[in-house]
DNA sequence: CGGTATCCCTCCCGATACTG
DNA sequence: CAGTATCGGGAGGGATACCG
């Protein structure tokens, strides 16, 4: 019996996905954008319990650089910035739904 | 337009799932057990790149307390301990597969 | 209102050693 | 071989202030 991995071929794809969604806040942000569509920064912040200004900024930046979310800035005063899932981000929604489903089935106990 | 969450009802199930799989190593461990079945501690460690003895121990303990994995200790010298997914843990496998699939589709830039 | 910079401290985690 | 305890460094991230 081999000790090597043989589940779905290379482990790299899994690692890649992991690198995208790892971190304390990433999945929560994706989840909220999946729920709420296009949202302003402040609204996002209000809905993520305990996150700080700095953290939210940095996480949004990382997700944007991975093309998971899009950022639209309106050149006005006061500033207004809206975030939304990209197509790539949308493709993660089934995963989020799976997580919700799993949570519903197992949280009691 | 409400600013509240409305995707799949309460957000609690999602949070619960998140609390189970969050952390740098949890998903990787689940992934490996899904791939390899019943595995000894040392084999697990060999296959998780960069994890330390201490970290692996603590993560396994947490997963065990959440009933995601089972731990079987053989009373012998030298000690032998085998880990495997519980039924609850098995139910996370579709999620892991989804992550692999997603990674395969999007890793190339 | 949203982003960035700075300071500073907490606590995570790695290294090491010892036990069964 | 597997688990636990201890210690210490350093990255992560909180608070705050200022800029656009």
């Amino acid at each position: 019996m081999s000790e090597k991995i043989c589940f779905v071929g290379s482990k790299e794809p899994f690692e890649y996905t992991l690198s995208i969604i790892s971190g304390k806040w990433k999945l929560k942000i994706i989840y909220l954008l999946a729920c709420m569509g296009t949202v302003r920064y402040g609204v996002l912040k209000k809905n993520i319990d305990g996150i700080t200004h700095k953290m939210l900024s940095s996480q949004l930046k990382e997700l944007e650089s991975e093309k998971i979310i899009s950022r639209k800035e309106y050149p006005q005063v006061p500033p207004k910035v809206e975030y939304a899932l990209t197509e790539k981000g949308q493709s993660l929604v089934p995963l989020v739904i799976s997580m919700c489903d799993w949570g519903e089935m197992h949280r009691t106990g």
Side-chain angles (χ1 to χ4, degrees), chain A:
Chain A
M1 211 172 332
S2 167
E3 288 179 350
K4 284 322 258 179
I5 303 158
C6 55
F7 193 40
V8 284
S10 160
K11 71 181 175 181
E12 300 310 331
F14 182 76
E15 302 285 352
Y16 172 69
T17 306
L18 214 47
S19 74
I20 299 271
I21 68 177
S22 70
K24 196 178 173 185
W25 307 106
K26 299 270 183 69
L27 271 171
K28 184 71 183 285
I29 292 170
I30 294 167
Y31 170 74
L32 282 177
L33 290 177
C35 295
M36 305 169 80
T38 300
V39 192
R40 293 187 63 169
Y41 175 90
V43 175
L44 219 41
K45 184 164 186 309
K46 236 187 314 199
N47 280 280
I48 303 181
D49 215 48
I51 198 169
T52 61
H53 189 33
K54 181 181 174 181
M55 261 298 100
L56 182 52
S57 289
S58 71
Q59 299 297 292
L60 286 171
K61 213 168 175 180
E62 285 178 32
L63 286 172
E64 191 195 357
S65 77
E66 294 287 354
K67 311 286 186 202
I68 302 294
I69 66 175
S70 64
R71 179 181 184 279
K72 178 159 188 186
E73 183 170 354
Y74 295 83
Q76 64 184 44
V77 174
K80 170 179 172 181
V81 181
E82 287 181 339
Y83 291 92
L85 291 179
T86 61
E87 215 170 303
K88 186 175 178 184
Q90 290 286 350
S91 69
L92 278 171
V93 171
L95 209 66
V96 170
I97 294 178
S98 295
M99 287 180 58
C100 291
D101 290 346
W102 191 90
E104 265 180 24
M105 299 209 27
H106 294 92
R107 104 200 100 145
T108 59

